[in-house]
């Protein structure tokens, strides 16, 4: 058990330290493993998932290049602030695992495709026929007409 905790803590620390500036991208698509029963989410649902308040999905994946704009849009906080929140949740024992950080859309899509219960966000341009994931449309404030999350500055 301690090794799981330590690996989760290390992942949380890598999440906090590994975030960089996102290239200019205006939106993010939410994707999940094809076995998901979730048909759509609100930005509020995403906030709860990506801050650890809701454990709707087993694996919460983060695409690092989009993280700054995504977290600003979804939580109103910087990616670093959200990462520090996850570290506190891990240290308190309220969650057993933190988010899984990926460098690229391709890595995020591969992880989500391979792990039932996974959710992630990627640039809409990376979604192609045969991507092997389910796109979850987002509704309400903070979403565009296509169901993508409108990224913050």
């Amino acid at each position: 058990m301690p090794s799981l905790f330590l690996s989760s803590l290390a992942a949380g620390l890598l999440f906090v330290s590994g975030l960089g500036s996102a290239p200019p991208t205006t939106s993010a698509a939410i994707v999940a493993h094809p076995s998901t029963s979730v048909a759509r989410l609100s930005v509020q649902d995403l906030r709860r998932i990506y801050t650890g308040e809701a454990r709707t999905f087993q694996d919460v994946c983060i695409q690092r290049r989009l993280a700054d704009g995504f977290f600003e849009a979804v939580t109103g906080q910087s990616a670093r602030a959200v990462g520090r929140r996850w570290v506190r949740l891990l240290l308190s024992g309220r969650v057993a695992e933190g988010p899984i950080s990926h460098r690229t859309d391709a890595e995020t899509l591969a992880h989500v495709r391979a792990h039932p219960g996974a959710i992630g966000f990627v640039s809409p341009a990376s979604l192609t026929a045969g991507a092997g994931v389910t796109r979850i449309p987002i509704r309400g404030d903070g979403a565009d007409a296509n169901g993508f999350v409108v990224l913050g500055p």
Side-chain angles (χ1 to χ4, degrees):
M1 193 70 154
S3 63
L4 175 61
F5 173 76
L6 291 177
S7 65
S8 293
L9 179 58
L13 292 174
L14 284 173
F15 166 65
V16 171
S17 66
L19 298 172
S21 297
T25 303
T26 60
S27 60
I30 305 303
V31 294
H33 186 272
S35 66
T36 188
S37 61
V38 176
R40 78 184 71 186
L41 293 167
S42 68
V43 173
Q44 179 73 1
D45 295 330
L46 287 176
R47 183 192 62 75
R48 292 177 38 78
I49 292 165
Y50 276 94
T51 59
E53 293 175 23
R55 300 299 291 169
T56 310
F57 294 88
Q58 288 177 298
D59 287 355
V60 177
C61 297
I62 294 165
Q63 206 278 34
R64 289 191 301 236
R65 290 187 333 227
L66 302 178
D68 288 332
F70 180 82
F71 286 115
E72 186 63 40
V74 170
T75 69
Q77 299 177 346
S78 70
R80 290 193 186 280
V82 174
R84 286 190 300 270
R85 176 183 170 80
W86 277 98
V87 170
R88 285 192 305 275
L89 290 171
L90 287 163
L91 289 172
S92 71
R94 291 175 47 203
V95 297
E97 295 181 35
I100 301 160
S101 183
H102 297 288
R103 286 181 290 192
T104 66
D105 286 338
E107 289 176 5
T108 304
L109 289 168
H111 183 100
V112 170
R113 183 173 41 250
H115 295 87
I119 188 172
F121 56 88
V122 296
S123 60
S126 69
L127 295 178
T128 60
V133 297
T134 298
R135 184 173 86 82
I136 301 177
I138 305 305
R139 66 183 190 287
D141 290 343
D144 67 14
N146 296 313
F148 297 124
V149 175
V150 177
L151 299 182

